[in-house]
Amino acid sequence: MVRRIDVTGADGVRLAAWDFADPPKGSGETDRAPGVLLLHGLMGRASHWAGTARWLSERYRAVAIDQRGHGRSDKPADGPYTREAYVADAEAAVEQLGLAPVTLIGHSMGALTAWQLAAKRPDLVRAVVICDMRAGALGAASQREWDDWFKSWPVPFATLADVRKWFGEDDPWVERPSPARGEFFAEVMTERADGWRPLFSRRQMLKSRETWVYDAHWEELALVRCPALVVRGLDGELGRAEAQEMVRVLPRGKYAEVVDAGHLVHYDQPEGWRTAIEPFLEETAQEPVIPPLSHS
């Protein structure tokens, strides 16, 4: 059973969340399945995690949220769309839904949110899965490329078939046909009077992205004291050398890769993704949570 739940994020922003497990029977701690929070990437939505959440829900309480500016969550015109806001939203979700000690599974931007929350609140986080997110700075050129890319979208699309074809084949960023990429973007479109348009504001996506692309995030990565798994697709955006350096910087880092996967690892190759992360989840399911460092 999938239940829709609303969470109140930072600044009172309403966040849409989906709980993929039946409510636990009874009220004792022994009845509680380990909590997992799934965090999508830029332009994503909670439904992109549906396949992962379904097998997770056999053993865990799996919850996926639409982050601010995405899906069915609030999209405040002026944000904020800062790193602090995204991390505070995830923190609020963990606390309000009673998921702690939680395993955070994040893709791309959601992975950055996951490790920043783990660094900020080690008392809430049991383990982290980091999927295809770089710790190094991407720089101004990357942001300009994204601005140009957004402007190239032929919106509105007449049909969802046009969405699938453009993002799966015709988009200049596509190196070879990718039906999964077409389906991924079809899920984040909504029908308007003039055709199909994205659920999100491209301006807000750029605003969100500019809060992390100019900076490196190695220092926060080094503060993640819980077990952490870095996963990359062989054809993704995170290169092997950088991924292995991330594992080295993480105090308790591990590495996995998924063959024949691009950036959308979990969506592109769901079986390979499950094979890569399931052993790690089983190993860490009962991991004791590290209490906050004393400041005395």
Side-chain angles (χ1 to χ4, degrees):
M1 185 179 78
V2 182
R3 293 182 298 142
R4 161 78 184 269
I5 311 167
D6 280 351
V7 172
T8 303
D11 313 304
V13 169
R14 182 192 55 81
L15 304 171
W18 282 264
D19 190 336
F20 284 81
D22 288 325
K25 296 177 176 63
S27 58
E29 286 294 311
T30 56
D31 298 316
R32 294 184 64 231
V36 175
L37 183 65
L38 297 149
L39 299 167
H40 63 73
L42 192 74
M43 304 181 294
R45 63 183 306 184
S47 65
H48 285 146
W49 289 114
T52 297
R54 287 191 184 100
W55 64 259
L56 281 173
S57 65
E58 296 169 8
R59 295 191 57 182
Y60 308 93
R61 184 185 173 198
V63 176
I65 64 170
D66 282 339
Q67 296 177 71
R68 62 174 56 212
H70 296 75
R72 295 185 186 176
S73 290
D74 285 348
K75 303 169 181 66
D78 298 317
Y81 294 101
T82 60
R83 285 283 81 224
E84 292 78 11
Y86 280 107
V87 172
D89 287 347
E91 182 179 0
V94 172
E95 294 187 320
Q96 289 173 36
L97 300 176
L99 295 173
V102 71
T103 295
L104 300 171
I105 301 179
H107 171 247
S108 196
M109 178 190 76
L112 177 58
T113 300
W115 88 63
Q116 288 180 327
L117 177 56
K120 177 187 176 186
R121 291 292 307 273
D123 55 310
L124 292 182
V125 183
R126 186 194 302 278
V128 177
V129 176
I130 297 166
C131 180
D132 217 62
M133 179 63 189
R134 298 180 58 184
L138 300 180
S142 171
Q143 189 72 349
R144 287 194 298 270
E145 287 171 4
W146 272 70
D147 192 9
D148 291 342
W149 179 57
F150 277 143
K151 290 173 181 173
S152 76
W153 291 18
V155 292
F157 294 92
T159 67
L160 276 181
D162 293 328
V163 173
R164 293 185 182 98
K165 185 174 186 300
W166 196 81
F167 287 102
E169 299 177 27
D170 300 339
D171 182 349
W173 280 22
V174 175
E175 294 182 1
R176 59 178 181 269
S178 173
R181 189 174 188 269
E183 290 293 340
F184 182 94
F185 279 96
E187 280 198 51
V188 293
M189 297 289 160
T190 187
E191 191 172 18
R192 308 290 188 196
D194 60 349
W196 292 84
R197 293 179 175 273
L199 280 165
F200 49 80
S201 156
R202 287 170 285 173
R203 178 187 62 82
Q204 290 177 352
M205 295 301 98
L206 278 175
K207 202 169 187 178
S208 169
R209 195 173 184 273
E210 73 182 7
T211 65
W212 86 74
V213 295
Y214 302 116
D215 302 313
H217 306 283
W218 296 101
E219 290 184 9
E220 289 160 305
L221 202 65
L223 294 175
V224 177
R225 293 183 287 155
C226 64
L229 178 68
V230 177
V231 185
R232 62 178 288 268
L234 285 190
D235 297 318
E237 296 177 11
L238 175 61
R240 179 177 283 135
E242 183 172 354
Q244 291 178 342
E245 180 63 10
M246 289 169 67
V247 172
R248 190 191 67 79
V249 168
L250 284 159
R252 302 177 66 188
K254 291 190 173 184
Y255 175 76
E257 57 187 29
V258 181
V259 298
D260 298 324
H263 178 58
L264 307 175
V265 183
H266 61 296
Y267 198 85
D268 194 14
Q269 296 292 339
E271 291 186 10
W273 161 249
R274 179 173 182 173
T275 299
I277 73 167
E278 195 167 27
F280 174 80
L281 298 177
E282 290 175 356
E283 288 170 17
T284 59
Q286 303 303 322
E287 182 79 19
V289 171
I290 300 173
L293 293 170
S294 172
H295 297 289
S296 58

